[in-house]
Amino acid sequence: MARVLIADDASFMRQMIREIIEPEGHEVVGEATNGIEAVDLYKELQPDLVTMDIVMPKRSGIDAVKTILADHPAACVVMCSALGQETLVMEALQAGAQDFIVKPFKPDSVVATLKNALEKAD
Amino acid sequence: MALDMAKYRRIFLEEAADHLAEISRALLDLEKEMGNVEAIDTLFRMAHSIKSMAASLGYAPVSELSHRLEDRMEGVREAGRVRDPQELSLLFRGLETLEAMVRTVADDRELAPADEGLLAELRATPERAAAAPDPVAADSPEAVGGEPKKVRS
């Protein structure tokens, strides 16, 4: 099971992801509320996987994933997107993000996507 | 897997109240300075966040209206400023309607569909709105007869 960093400015979304993945045995090792924190916490915690929201204050999720992957090419990042963000999702995937999940979250789909991403990153 | 949606409804009401207050502050800042980049960005992010939370809880009218606001703010972000007082007024109307919707959720009442007129106004880019035919003028004798249309002063 994986050590996960959740990056999302909305407490609502962070709690929802936590509630979905913890029963699957994953450990949430940290929560970031903006892109700068996401990069800093990644360096500090070296998680197995990051769930990264795209729209965040101070630094976007796209910028954060690019920075993390530039410094840690093996990092496993799953983007959290919403309706109408297809272009940004493509940009993140091209930058090296493993996959994406779409809001509103469907628990089974989130679990399956994270499992696949972790397997691909192995 | 079933999530405790009552818990998320409570969180939604708390966060939505904060976000709406931030939108209100941002609009007041934009009233003073229509190119206030920070206020534009805040409004965009708050609308986006309300949209995602509302969609997660099945509050379709809230999600739809905040989605339109977010899209509108994306256009404002690209333009670098709110275009004019009319656009600012439209954003204020969006905020007021969202506030009323969140009160409806808080009161545990059924949400009515979002106002189609407001959604259409938010959807129309200022350029499109300007280019759209004036319904009165289009039906006027001048328009039917192919004469040059009067230009509004």
mmCIF file of all heavy atoms in Angstrom, chain A residues 28-63:
data_model
loop_
_atom_site.group_PDB
_atom_site.id
_atom_site.type_symbol
_atom_site.label_atom_id
_atom_site.label_comp_id
_atom_site.label_asym_id
_atom_site.label_seq_id
_atom_site.Cartn_x
_atom_site.Cartn_y
_atom_site.Cartn_z
ATOM 1 N N VAL A 28 -2.251 8.451 4.170
ATOM 2 C CA VAL A 28 -2.105 9.854 3.756
ATOM 3 C C VAL A 28 -1.015 10.471 4.640
ATOM 4 O O VAL A 28 -1.210 10.658 5.841
ATOM 5 C CB VAL A 28 -3.436 10.626 3.891
ATOM 6 C CG1 VAL A 28 -3.235 12.092 3.537
ATOM 7 C CG2 VAL A 28 -4.503 10.009 2.995
ATOM 8 N N VAL A 29 0.135 10.762 4.038
ATOM 9 C CA VAL A 29 1.265 11.254 4.828
ATOM 10 C C VAL A 29 1.300 12.773 4.899
ATOM 11 O O VAL A 29 2.029 13.346 5.723
ATOM 12 C CB VAL A 29 2.613 10.711 4.292
ATOM 13 C CG1 VAL A 29 2.712 9.216 4.528
ATOM 14 C CG2 VAL A 29 2.809 11.052 2.814
ATOM 15 N N GLY A 30 0.534 13.434 4.029
ATOM 16 C CA GLY A 30 0.537 14.891 4.077
ATOM 17 C C GLY A 30 -0.565 15.487 3.223
ATOM 18 O O GLY A 30 -1.103 14.824 2.339
ATOM 19 N N GLU A 31 -0.907 16.737 3.539
ATOM 20 C CA GLU A 31 -1.903 17.463 2.761
ATOM 21 C C GLU A 31 -1.344 18.837 2.415
ATOM 22 O O GLU A 31 -0.876 19.552 3.306
ATOM 23 C CB GLU A 31 -3.210 17.623 3.558
ATOM 24 C CG GLU A 31 -3.933 16.314 3.821
ATOM 25 C CD GLU A 31 -5.290 16.524 4.483
ATOM 26 O OE1 GLU A 31 -5.740 17.687 4.594
ATOM 27 O OE2 GLU A 31 -5.896 15.516 4.881
ATOM 28 N N ALA A 32 -1.389 19.190 1.150
ATOM 29 C CA ALA A 32 -0.928 20.510 0.711
ATOM 30 C C ALA A 32 -2.131 21.317 0.240
ATOM 31 O O ALA A 32 -3.043 20.761 -0.366
ATOM 32 C CB ALA A 32 0.074 20.362 -0.432
ATOM 33 N N THR A 33 -2.125 22.611 0.532
ATOM 34 C CA THR A 33 -3.283 23.439 0.172
ATOM 35 C C THR A 33 -2.973 24.388 -0.992
ATOM 36 O O THR A 33 -3.826 25.175 -1.382
ATOM 37 C CB THR A 33 -3.761 24.265 1.384
ATOM 38 O OG1 THR A 33 -2.693 25.115 1.797
ATOM 39 C CG2 THR A 33 -4.164 23.365 2.531
ATOM 40 N N ASN A 34 -1.761 24.334 -1.497
ATOM 41 C CA ASN A 34 -1.424 25.121 -2.691
ATOM 42 C C ASN A 34 -0.218 24.476 -3.384
ATOM 43 O O ASN A 34 0.382 23.531 -2.852
ATOM 44 C CB ASN A 34 -1.135 26.590 -2.326
ATOM 45 C CG ASN A 34 0.032 26.740 -1.368
ATOM 46 O OD1 ASN A 34 1.150 26.311 -1.676
ATOM 47 N ND2 ASN A 34 -0.215 27.336 -0.204
ATOM 48 N N GLY A 35 0.099 24.992 -4.567
ATOM 49 C CA GLY A 35 1.156 24.372 -5.362
ATOM 50 C C GLY A 35 2.528 24.456 -4.731
ATOM 51 O O GLY A 35 3.355 23.545 -4.888
ATOM 52 N N ILE A 36 2.787 25.528 -4.007
ATOM 53 C CA ILE A 36 4.107 25.676 -3.365
ATOM 54 C C ILE A 36 4.259 24.628 -2.261
ATOM 55 O O ILE A 36 5.287 23.943 -2.170
ATOM 56 C CB ILE A 36 4.272 27.106 -2.792
ATOM 57 C CG1 ILE A 36 4.330 28.110 -3.943
ATOM 58 C CG2 ILE A 36 5.524 27.208 -1.923
ATOM 59 C CD1 ILE A 36 4.354 29.565 -3.511
ATOM 60 N N GLU A 37 3.203 24.493 -1.447
ATOM 61 C CA GLU A 37 3.244 23.470 -0.384
ATOM 62 C C GLU A 37 3.399 22.073 -0.981
ATOM 63 O O GLU A 37 4.090 21.219 -0.410
ATOM 64 C CB GLU A 37 1.939 23.503 0.418
ATOM 65 C CG GLU A 37 1.938 24.458 1.590
ATOM 66 C CD GLU A 37 0.643 24.373 2.381
ATOM 67 O OE1 GLU A 37 -0.069 23.342 2.323
ATOM 68 O OE2 GLU A 37 0.329 25.360 3.043
ATOM 69 N N ALA A 38 2.734 21.847 -2.113
ATOM 70 C CA ALA A 38 2.802 20.520 -2.736
ATOM 71 C C ALA A 38 4.247 20.168 -3.087
ATOM 72 O O ALA A 38 4.712 19.057 -2.803
ATOM 73 C CB ALA A 38 1.923 20.478 -3.979
ATOM 74 N N VAL A 39 4.950 21.128 -3.673
ATOM 75 C CA VAL A 39 6.351 20.884 -4.059
ATOM 76 C C VAL A 39 7.211 20.677 -2.799
ATOM 77 O O VAL A 39 8.015 19.739 -2.716
ATOM 78 C CB VAL A 39 6.895 22.059 -4.896
ATOM 79 C CG1 VAL A 39 8.394 21.908 -5.130
ATOM 80 C CG2 VAL A 39 6.151 22.142 -6.229
ATOM 81 N N ASP A 40 7.011 21.550 -1.808
ATOM 82 C CA ASP A 40 7.810 21.452 -0.574
ATOM 83 C C ASP A 40 7.555 20.138 0.161
ATOM 84 O O ASP A 40 8.487 19.470 0.622
ATOM 85 C CB ASP A 40 7.478 22.633 0.367
ATOM 86 C CG ASP A 40 8.008 23.947 -0.173
ATOM 87 O OD1 ASP A 40 8.832 23.908 -1.115
ATOM 88 O OD2 ASP A 40 7.594 25.007 0.328
ATOM 89 N N LEU A 41 6.269 19.771 0.269
ATOM 90 C CA LEU A 41 5.941 18.533 0.986
ATOM 91 C C LEU A 41 6.400 17.297 0.217
ATOM 92 O O LEU A 41 6.754 16.284 0.821
ATOM 93 C CB LEU A 41 4.435 18.455 1.271
ATOM 94 C CG LEU A 41 3.939 19.312 2.442
ATOM 95 C CD1 LEU A 41 2.423 19.221 2.591
ATOM 96 C CD2 LEU A 41 4.591 18.880 3.756
ATOM 97 N N TYR A 42 6.396 17.399 -1.105
ATOM 98 C CA TYR A 42 6.906 16.250 -1.869
ATOM 99 C C TYR A 42 8.376 16.008 -1.525
ATOM 100 O O TYR A 42 8.785 14.882 -1.259
ATOM 101 C CB TYR A 42 6.749 16.451 -3.386
ATOM 102 C CG TYR A 42 7.144 15.187 -4.116
ATOM 103 C CD1 TYR A 42 6.204 14.193 -4.373
ATOM 104 C CD2 TYR A 42 8.475 14.935 -4.461
ATOM 105 C CE1 TYR A 42 6.569 13.002 -4.961
ATOM 106 C CE2 TYR A 42 8.849 13.743 -5.047
ATOM 107 C CZ TYR A 42 7.899 12.780 -5.296
ATOM 108 O OH TYR A 42 8.272 11.587 -5.863
ATOM 109 N N LYS A 43 9.148 17.106 -1.528
ATOM 110 C CA LYS A 43 10.586 16.985 -1.217
ATOM 111 C C LYS A 43 10.784 16.397 0.173
ATOM 112 O O LYS A 43 11.643 15.550 0.402
ATOM 113 C CB LYS A 43 11.248 18.360 -1.277
ATOM 114 C CG LYS A 43 11.527 18.829 -2.674
ATOM 115 C CD LYS A 43 12.197 20.206 -2.632
ATOM 116 C CE LYS A 43 12.151 20.865 -3.994
ATOM 117 N NZ LYS A 43 12.336 22.312 -3.926
ATOM 118 N N GLU A 44 9.979 16.893 1.117
ATOM 119 C CA GLU A 44 10.147 16.491 2.523
ATOM 120 C C GLU A 44 9.683 15.052 2.761
ATOM 121 O O GLU A 44 10.361 14.289 3.463
ATOM 122 C CB GLU A 44 9.330 17.453 3.393
ATOM 123 C CG GLU A 44 9.456 17.218 4.878
ATOM 124 C CD GLU A 44 8.472 18.113 5.654
ATOM 125 O OE1 GLU A 44 8.146 19.220 5.176
ATOM 126 O OE2 GLU A 44 8.010 17.660 6.712
ATOM 127 N N LEU A 45 8.555 14.680 2.177
ATOM 128 C CA LEU A 45 7.924 13.403 2.532
ATOM 129 C C LEU A 45 8.238 12.264 1.561
ATOM 130 O O LEU A 45 8.086 11.099 1.922
ATOM 131 C CB LEU A 45 6.401 13.573 2.615
ATOM 132 C CG LEU A 45 5.895 14.613 3.618
ATOM 133 C CD1 LEU A 45 4.413 14.891 3.414
ATOM 134 C CD2 LEU A 45 6.145 14.130 5.044
ATOM 135 N N GLN A 46 8.629 12.626 0.329
ATOM 136 C CA GLN A 46 8.906 11.609 -0.702
ATOM 137 C C GLN A 46 7.803 10.540 -0.752
ATOM 138 O O GLN A 46 8.081 9.340 -0.566
ATOM 139 C CB GLN A 46 10.270 10.939 -0.419
ATOM 140 C CG GLN A 46 11.431 11.914 -0.401
ATOM 141 C CD GLN A 46 11.922 12.266 -1.802
ATOM 142 O OE1 GLN A 46 12.115 11.403 -2.641
ATOM 143 N NE2 GLN A 46 12.093 13.541 -2.071
ATOM 144 N N PRO A 47 6.572 10.955 -0.991
ATOM 145 C CA PRO A 47 5.474 9.976 -1.010
ATOM 146 C C PRO A 47 5.554 9.055 -2.234
ATOM 147 O O PRO A 47 6.251 9.362 -3.201
ATOM 148 C CB PRO A 47 4.235 10.864 -1.082
ATOM 149 C CG PRO A 47 4.711 12.082 -1.789
ATOM 150 C CD PRO A 47 6.128 12.290 -1.356
ATOM 151 N N ASP A 48 4.795 7.958 -2.167
ATOM 152 C CA ASP A 48 4.740 7.051 -3.320
ATOM 153 C C ASP A 48 3.856 7.627 -4.419
ATOM 154 O O ASP A 48 4.030 7.304 -5.591
ATOM 155 C CB ASP A 48 4.144 5.695 -2.893
ATOM 156 C CG ASP A 48 4.971 5.042 -1.792
ATOM 157 O OD1 ASP A 48 6.214 5.048 -1.913
ATOM 158 O OD2 ASP A 48 4.382 4.560 -0.809
ATOM 159 N N LEU A 49 2.894 8.438 -4.003
ATOM 160 C CA LEU A 49 1.934 8.982 -4.981
ATOM 161 C C LEU A 49 1.414 10.339 -4.507
ATOM 162 O O LEU A 49 1.260 10.553 -3.307
ATOM 163 C CB LEU A 49 0.773 7.996 -5.150
ATOM 164 C CG LEU A 49 -0.307 8.332 -6.186
ATOM 165 C CD1 LEU A 49 -0.787 7.059 -6.891
ATOM 166 C CD2 LEU A 49 -1.499 9.039 -5.577
ATOM 167 N N VAL A 50 1.165 11.222 -5.456
ATOM 168 C CA VAL A 50 0.561 12.521 -5.148
ATOM 169 C C VAL A 50 -0.749 12.640 -5.919
ATOM 170 O O VAL A 50 -0.794 12.345 -7.115
ATOM 171 C CB VAL A 50 1.463 13.699 -5.594
ATOM 172 C CG1 VAL A 50 0.865 15.031 -5.150
ATOM 173 C CG2 VAL A 50 2.871 13.545 -5.078
ATOM 174 N N THR A 51 -1.826 13.046 -5.236
ATOM 175 C CA THR A 51 -3.033 13.460 -5.971
ATOM 176 C C THR A 51 -2.966 14.985 -6.032
ATOM 177 O O THR A 51 -2.877 15.652 -5.018
ATOM 178 C CB THR A 51 -4.335 13.009 -5.273
ATOM 179 O OG1 THR A 51 -4.458 13.654 -4.014
ATOM 180 C CG2 THR A 51 -4.380 11.506 -5.107
ATOM 181 N N MET A 52 -2.979 15.514 -7.254
ATOM 182 C CA MET A 52 -2.708 16.944 -7.453
ATOM 183 C C MET A 52 -3.882 17.652 -8.126
ATOM 184 O O MET A 52 -4.201 17.363 -9.282
ATOM 185 C CB MET A 52 -1.453 17.081 -8.341
ATOM 186 C CG MET A 52 -1.006 18.491 -8.612
ATOM 187 S SD MET A 52 -0.103 19.192 -7.228
ATOM 188 C CE MET A 52 1.489 18.371 -7.436
ATOM 189 N N ASP A 53 -4.484 18.562 -7.382
ATOM 190 C CA ASP A 53 -5.540 19.391 -7.977
ATOM 191 C C ASP A 53 -4.904 20.334 -8.993
ATOM 192 O O ASP A 53 -3.744 20.733 -8.842
ATOM 193 C CB ASP A 53 -6.235 20.190 -6.862
ATOM 194 C CG ASP A 53 -7.434 20.957 -7.367
ATOM 195 O OD1 ASP A 53 -8.064 20.520 -8.344
ATOM 196 O OD2 ASP A 53 -7.755 22.007 -6.764
ATOM 197 N N ILE A 54 -5.653 20.688 -10.022
ATOM 198 C CA ILE A 54 -5.086 21.571 -11.052
ATOM 199 C C ILE A 54 -5.171 23.038 -10.634
ATOM 200 O O ILE A 54 -4.191 23.782 -10.733
ATOM 201 C CB ILE A 54 -5.804 21.342 -12.402
ATOM 202 C CG1 ILE A 54 -5.420 19.965 -12.951
ATOM 203 C CG2 ILE A 54 -5.451 22.443 -13.399
ATOM 204 C CD1 ILE A 54 -6.090 19.599 -14.253
ATOM 205 N N VAL A 55 -6.352 23.446 -10.154
ATOM 206 C CA VAL A 55 -6.553 24.866 -9.808
ATOM 207 C C VAL A 55 -6.270 25.068 -8.324
ATOM 208 O O VAL A 55 -7.046 24.648 -7.466
ATOM 209 C CB VAL A 55 -7.984 25.310 -10.143
ATOM 210 C CG1 VAL A 55 -8.214 26.750 -9.715
ATOM 211 C CG2 VAL A 55 -8.264 25.148 -11.630
ATOM 212 N N MET A 56 -5.141 25.677 -8.025
ATOM 213 C CA MET A 56 -4.768 25.956 -6.629
ATOM 214 C C MET A 56 -4.141 27.336 -6.548
ATOM 215 O O MET A 56 -3.603 27.833 -7.551
ATOM 216 C CB MET A 56 -3.773 24.910 -6.109
ATOM 217 C CG MET A 56 -4.390 23.553 -5.851
ATOM 218 S SD MET A 56 -3.303 22.493 -4.860
ATOM 219 C CE MET A 56 -1.999 22.134 -6.028
ATOM 220 N N PRO A 57 -4.198 27.967 -5.373
ATOM 221 C CA PRO A 57 -3.600 29.295 -5.242
ATOM 222 C C PRO A 57 -2.067 29.239 -5.181
ATOM 223 O O PRO A 57 -1.494 28.172 -4.970
ATOM 224 C CB PRO A 57 -4.164 29.808 -3.917
ATOM 225 C CG PRO A 57 -4.521 28.590 -3.149
ATOM 226 C CD PRO A 57 -4.878 27.531 -4.157
ATOM 227 N N LYS A 58 -1.480 30.390 -5.352
ATOM 228 C CA LYS A 58 -0.026 30.618 -5.250
ATOM 229 C C LYS A 58 0.744 29.974 -6.411
ATOM 230 O O LYS A 58 1.590 30.607 -7.014
ATOM 231 C CB LYS A 58 0.537 30.145 -3.903
ATOM 232 C CG LYS A 58 -0.016 30.944 -2.742
ATOM 233 C CD LYS A 58 0.622 30.588 -1.431
ATOM 234 C CE LYS A 58 -0.010 31.426 -0.320
ATOM 235 N NZ LYS A 58 0.406 31.032 0.994
ATOM 236 N N ARG A 59 0.465 28.710 -6.666
ATOM 237 C CA ARG A 59 1.119 28.030 -7.774
ATOM 238 C C ARG A 59 0.166 26.931 -8.230
ATOM 239 O O ARG A 59 -0.300 26.161 -7.395
ATOM 240 C CB ARG A 59 2.438 27.440 -7.282
ATOM 241 C CG ARG A 59 3.319 26.944 -8.363
ATOM 242 C CD ARG A 59 4.699 26.644 -7.800
ATOM 243 N NE ARG A 59 5.589 26.343 -8.891
ATOM 244 C CZ ARG A 59 6.833 25.959 -8.716
ATOM 245 N NH1 ARG A 59 7.327 25.854 -7.506
ATOM 246 N NH2 ARG A 59 7.592 25.690 -9.742
ATOM 247 N N SER A 60 -0.092 26.839 -9.518
ATOM 248 C CA SER A 60 -1.096 25.876 -9.980
ATOM 249 C C SER A 60 -0.562 24.449 -9.858
ATOM 250 O O SER A 60 0.646 24.210 -9.742
ATOM 251 C CB SER A 60 -1.453 26.154 -11.439
ATOM 252 O OG SER A 60 -0.425 25.687 -12.288
ATOM 253 N N GLY A 61 -1.489 23.508 -9.933
ATOM 254 C CA GLY A 61 -1.096 22.098 -9.900
ATOM 255 C C GLY A 61 -0.244 21.721 -11.094
ATOM 256 O O GLY A 61 0.616 20.848 -11.001
ATOM 257 N N ILE A 62 -0.481 22.382 -12.217
ATOM 258 C CA ILE A 62 0.318 22.100 -13.426
ATOM 259 C C ILE A 62 1.770 22.502 -13.185
ATOM 260 O O ILE A 62 2.704 21.738 -13.461
ATOM 261 C CB ILE A 62 -0.246 22.883 -14.639
ATOM 262 C CG1 ILE A 62 -1.693 22.486 -14.918
ATOM 263 C CG2 ILE A 62 0.640 22.686 -15.864
ATOM 264 C CD1 ILE A 62 -1.885 21.135 -15.537
ATOM 265 N N ASP A 63 1.974 23.702 -12.660
ATOM 266 C CA ASP A 63 3.339 24.159 -12.355
ATOM 267 C C ASP A 63 3.992 23.229 -11.337
ATOM 268 O O ASP A 63 5.174 22.880 -11.452
ATOM 269 C CB ASP A 63 3.311 25.574 -11.764
ATOM 270 C CG ASP A 63 3.166 26.616 -12.838
ATOM 271 O OD1 ASP A 63 3.241 26.256 -14.027
ATOM 272 O OD2 ASP A 63 2.958 27.788 -12.494
#
